[in-house]
Amino acid sequence: MLGSGGSRVRWEALPPAVRRGVEEVLGSPVARAVSQSGGFSPGSADRVRTRDGRRAFVKAVGPELNPDSPGIHRAEAAIAGWLPPGLPAPALLGTVDADGWIALVLQDVDGVTPALPWTAADLDAVLDALTLLAEGATPCPVPDLEDARTSLSRNLAGFDRLAADATGAPDLPALPDLDLLRQLASRGLAALDGDTLVHSDLRADNVLVTSRGAVLVDWPWACRGPAWLDTLLLLVEVERFGGHDVDGLLRGLSLTRDTDPADLTGVLAGMAGYFLDAARLPSPPGLPTLREFQRVQGVALLQWVRSRVSAGS
């Protein structure tokens, strides 16, 4: 199952004040807009071209589509405005806040989303980009950004919530090792020290691969943490689709090879608990496929965690 939340609103359906604001940022009327698929937002995602030939990527959302999404876009705007040149991320050209809607006007990246399963070339491009990110964003350039331990503390406590809920969930796997999984997740959370800018939400639909390398997009969940965290989280999806020795990569990559394997397993366990716990919840407005995505992701990640535990990692 791919990372896709359902139908997106198109450029033509945005409130007139939002479209006018985008055109003011770009300095020319929009002549063409092409909607992009993928991701987990009901908002717009359009590659636009103005009458004078300028290009940009515009993403916009309002509370009627999903009450939480405008806040997520505002968080991304605050982070994107601090990203220095040279990082593998699109530049923020401007924002529009009108009628309760928020629009981000970003550099249009001439790239494509990686295919799934991941190819070796696409994976290498993203791993190289993460090395550049670690080099160019340590110390973290975004002031007052939340640290990873605080940012992920609730997510990584999913197995604690599952343990407290005696009703369980019929669509989730049995958890005879729940106490161990809780201990692993606690260790993972304790390992999240660091001062690198961390994207923390890397999947294929948050990456564009260009002729010059990979660019990481969609930054609302960024935090400050260890340089190895993004590589580990990216490999969650890589492992789920198969075709790569993810444990071998963790042992060999420069960003992860010196990290205690038990700490990596702990973070993976915490993420498995997050996905399985979240999969039990009702679908949020405008995101009908999110819970099934989380269930599939959680089941696959739980298998990887158990495999690593069996191997002593």
Side-chain angles (χ1 to χ4, degrees), residues 158-170 172-175 178 182 277 280:
F159 281 129
D160 291 341
R161 291 187 291 276
L162 286 165
D165 185 355
T167 62
L172 299 185
L175 299 172
L178 182 56
R182 293 174 68 190
D277 175 55
R280 305 180 303 156

Side-chain angles (χ1 to χ4, degrees), residues 26 92 94-95 125 130 136 138 144 154 191 217 223 226 229 245 258 260 266 270 306:
L26 295 175
L92 179 67
T95 61
L130 291 178
T138 307
D144 302 321
R154 189 181 190 284
V217 302
C223 57
L229 183 55
D245 178 7
D258 295 327
D260 190 328
R306 287 171 169 165

Side-chain angles (χ1 to χ4, degrees), residues 114-120 122 237-238 241-244:
L116 296 175
W118 281 79
T119 66
D122 285 348
E237 181 179 69
V238 174
F241 281 92
H244 300 271

Side-chain angles (χ1 to χ4, degrees), residues 26-262:
L26 295 175
S28 178
V30 170
R32 185 169 183 261
V34 180
S35 182
Q36 308 298 298
S37 61
F40 285 109
S41 171
S44 71
D46 291 280
R47 281 177 160 157
V48 304
R49 184 183 294 272
T50 64
R51 287 182 187 171
D52 63 3
R54 191 174 186 188
R55 294 168 45 192
F57 176 76
V58 178
K59 52 192 295 185
V61 73
E64 53 265 55
L65 300 179
N66 180 282
D68 298 324
S69 292
I72 294 172
H73 273 38
R74 291 186 177 95
E76 180 176 4
I79 292 165
W82 282 99
L83 300 183
L87 294 186
L92 179 67
L93 306 179
T95 61
V96 177
D97 209 323
D99 297 337
W101 283 64
I102 175 72
L104 278 66
V105 186
L106 297 149
Q107 171 192 3
D108 185 29
V109 177
D110 188 13
V112 296
T113 301
L116 296 175
W118 281 79
T119 66
D122 285 348
L123 181 56
D124 286 346
V126 180
L127 293 173
D128 288 345
L130 291 178
T131 299
L132 291 174
L133 180 65
E135 292 171 349
T138 307
C140 179
V142 182
D144 302 321
L145 194 62
E146 196 167 52
D147 66 90
R149 188 177 297 164
T150 301
S151 178
L152 297 176
S153 60
R154 189 181 190 284
N155 287 358
L156 269 61
F159 281 129
D160 291 341
R161 291 187 291 276
L162 286 165
D165 185 355
T167 62
D171 294 334
L172 299 185
L175 299 172
D177 49 354
L178 182 56
D179 287 343
L180 173 61
L181 292 167
R182 293 174 68 190
Q183 293 170 14
L184 291 171
S186 179
R187 174 169 183 156
L189 184 64
L192 296 181
D193 288 327
D195 193 23
T196 296
L197 175 66
V198 175
H199 182 286
S200 89
D201 192 30
L202 284 183
R203 305 181 304 270
D205 55 286
N206 283 342
V207 172
L208 292 170
V209 178
T210 77
S211 60
R212 299 173 301 282
V215 177
L216 315 179
V217 302
D218 294 344
W219 286 82
W221 309 114
C223 57
R224 176 171 47 83
W228 49 261
L229 183 55
D230 274 335
T231 298
L232 180 67
L233 297 180
L234 172 71
L235 292 180
V236 170
E237 181 179 69
V238 174
E239 194 279 337
R240 177 163 67 94
F241 281 92
H244 300 271
D245 178 7
V246 287
D247 291 308
L249 287 169
L250 289 174
R251 290 190 296 269
L253 291 170
S254 62
L255 293 179
T256 56
R257 64 189 176 205
D258 295 327
T259 305
D260 190 328

